Amino acid sequence: MRYRLLGRTDLNVSELAFGASPLGSVFGAFAEQDGIAAVRTALDAGINFFDVAPYYGATAAETVLGRALRGVDRGTYLLASKVGRDGRADFDFSARRVKRSVTESLRRLGTAHLDLIQCHDIEFGHPTQIVEETVPALRELQSEGLVRHVGITGYPLPELAQLAVRAGVDTVLSYCQYTLHDRRLAAWEERFREWGVGVINASPLAMGALTRRGAPDWHPGSFGFHTRCAEAADACEVVGGDLAKLALQFSAQTTPAATTVIGTSSSEEVRRNVACLTETIDQELLVAVETCLAPVRDQGWTSGPAAEQDLRREGRL
Ligand code: NAD
C-alpha cells in the first residue's frame, strides 16, 4: 500500500480508502460482524483512511464503524465524516446543526477528534451559507481540536471547485467521475493542486454500477447507462475477467487524486481490492470495456434538489 499527502494537509492517506456507506446497509443488508471484520481486514492490509457520514443508514454506518475501530490505536488510522445531510431530503448546514452533528459523530465513532470533516453534498445547500456560516463553524471546531481539517463533497465539479475556492477548504471529495465511464475529474486536478486543495476520488465502481451485480435501485444513472454497464460486465465475463476489478484498477492506479475510496462491508472484497492494486491492468480488456461504455462516457447525471424532484416524478425514489 502506498501513501500520499492529501493536498496541503498533514494527512498521509493510503492510496485505497475504506468507504463506509455499505456499513449503513446502503447497498443491501449485511451481517454487522462481517462489516466489522471488513474494517479490521482493511487495517491489516494497510488501509488507514476511513470515510463515513451520519447520512449513511441514518447514523448506522458511523455506529458500526465506531464499534469496528474500538480498541484500535487512534494514531494508526484517519477518520473522515460529514455534516449537513441527515436524510435523503434532510439538509441543514446551519452552524448550530453542524456543530452538534460533529459532537454526535464523535460519540458514535468513539473518538475525541475527526481528521477531516466535510460538508456533505454541497449542491443541496446554499453556497453563501456554506461559505459564511458552515465552514467558519467547522473552523471553530478545528481551533478547539475536535476536527483537524475541513472539506466539502458533492457531484457537480464546477460547483465543487467554485465553492472550494470561495470557502477556502482543505479538501474536496468527488465521486463517480474518475471511473471507466467518466473521467471529468481529471480536467480539474491541476486547478485543485494549484489551489492547494486535496482531492479524494470516491466510488470507483460508480456506486455498484460497474460490477456484475449492478447498481442498487436508488442509483441516479439512466437506463442506457446501466445497460452499457451490464454489457461491459458481459464483455469481461466472456474472457474470464471481472468488471469490478478492472474498474478499481483503472480508477485507483491512474487517478490523479491522493486516494480512491471504495465502499464495502466484506473482508473478501477488501482482500480482492487490495490485491488488484499491484496487478497490471489488462489493456485489451480495458479497450473492450471502454468501447461498451463510449456512448455514455462523461455524461453522468444531474444532482441537486431539481434532479431529486425528477427522480420522484419518475417513481425511482
Ligand atoms: P463504490 O463505487 O465504491 O461501490 C460500492 C459497491 O461495490 C458496494 O456494493 C460494494 O459491495 C461493491 N464492491 C466493492 N468491491 C467489490 C468487488 N471487488 N467486486 C464486486 N463488488 C464490489 O461506491 P460507494 O460505496 O458509493 O463509494 C465509495 C465511498 O465513497 C462511499 O462508501 C462513501 O464513503 C464515499 N462517497 C461519498 C459521497 C459523498 O460524500 N457525496 C458520494 C459517494 C461516495
Side-chain angles (χ1 to χ4, degrees):
M1 187 70 60
R2 289 176 301 182
Y3 300 85
R4 301 188 194 106
L5 279 175
L6 182 53
R8 291 187 190 153
T9 73
D10 57 357
L11 304 179
N12 202 23
V13 293
S14 47
E15 61 186 312
L16 194 65
F18 189 103
S21 68
L23 301 183
S25 303
V26 167
F27 290 92
F30 71 104
E32 183 171 317
Q33 280 315 312
D34 293 344
I36 290 174
V39 171
R40 296 299 183 116
T41 303
L43 287 164
D44 290 345
I47 291 175
N48 73 348
F49 187 41
F50 294 81
D51 179 74
V52 70
Y55 171 48
Y56 302 148
T59 73
E62 284 192 334
T63 301
V64 175
L65 184 58
R67 285 185 191 139
L69 293 171
R70 200 172 291 158
V72 180
D73 178 354
R74 184 65 183 89
T76 61
Y77 61 87
L78 301 167
L79 210 42
S81 192
K82 310 192 184 85
V83 291
R85 182 165 205 175
D86 288 307
R88 178 104 207 175
D90 184 4
F91 292 87
D92 187 346
F93 288 97
S94 68
R96 193 159 164 247
R97 175 66 198 125
V98 300
K99 281 184 163 182
R100 203 170 155 167
S101 181
V102 169
T103 310
E104 292 164 358
S105 291
L106 291 173
R107 187 172 32 79
R108 283 190 290 267
L109 289 162
T111 180
H113 76 275
L114 294 171
D115 299 285
L116 177 64
I117 189 71
Q118 304 158 102
C119 301
H120 198 169
D121 292 335
I122 51 92
E123 64 269 31
F124 290 89
H126 196 289
T128 304
Q129 183 184 33
I130 293 172
V131 172
E132 293 180 3
E133 183 177 341
T134 321
V135 171
L138 298 175
R139 292 292 185 202
E140 276 178 38
L141 297 186
Q142 185 180 30
S143 65
E144 293 165 19
L146 297 186
V147 302
R148 290 178 58 206
H149 301 281
V150 177
I152 54 176
T153 82
Y155 185 75
L157 281 162
E159 286 177 40
L160 204 59
Q162 207 175 27
L163 197 59
V165 174
R166 270 186 75 191
V169 292
D170 308 312
T171 65
V172 295
L173 180 151
S174 157
Y175 64 99
C176 295
Q177 282 165 100
Y178 193 78
T179 61
L180 291 174
H181 78 286
D182 197 326
R183 314 278 158 88
R184 287 175 291 171
L185 176 61
W188 290 91
E189 174 54 23
E190 208 177 307
R191 274 170 280 184
F192 283 125
R193 195 170 323 115
E194 278 169 16
W195 298 330
V197 176
V199 179
I200 299 166
N201 167 38
S203 308
L205 310 188
M207 302 191 296
L210 295 169
T211 65
R212 175 70 281 176
R213 188 167 74 143
D217 290 346
W218 51 258
H219 197 288
S222 66
F223 178 74
F225 167 71
H226 293 297
T227 305
R228 293 291 168 175
C229 291
E231 282 171 21
D234 290 342
C236 290
E237 224 163 73
V238 163
V239 293
D242 173 27
L243 180 60
K245 176 181 173 180
L246 185 75
L248 177 59
Q249 282 183 307
F250 171 79
S251 193
Q253 291 186 14
T254 71
T255 183
T259 183
T260 296
V261 194
I262 186 164
T264 183
S265 54
S266 136
S267 284
E268 174 51 29
E269 278 179 359
V270 172
R271 278 190 213 99
R272 256 190 287 150
N273 293 343
V274 170
C276 81
L277 290 180
T278 46
E279 287 173 35
T280 313
I281 296 178
D282 180 337
Q283 293 297 334
E284 219 173 295
L285 189 56
L286 180 61
V287 170
V289 164
E290 283 180 330
T291 306
C292 286
L293 297 173
V296 292
R297 177 77 173 261
D298 291 347
Q299 286 178 12
W301 44 84
T302 48
S303 172
E308 286 286 298
Q309 271 179 13
D310 288 346
L311 286 174
R312 265 177 230 291
R313 220 174 291 123
E314 290 165 19
R316 293 173 64 193
L317 286 182

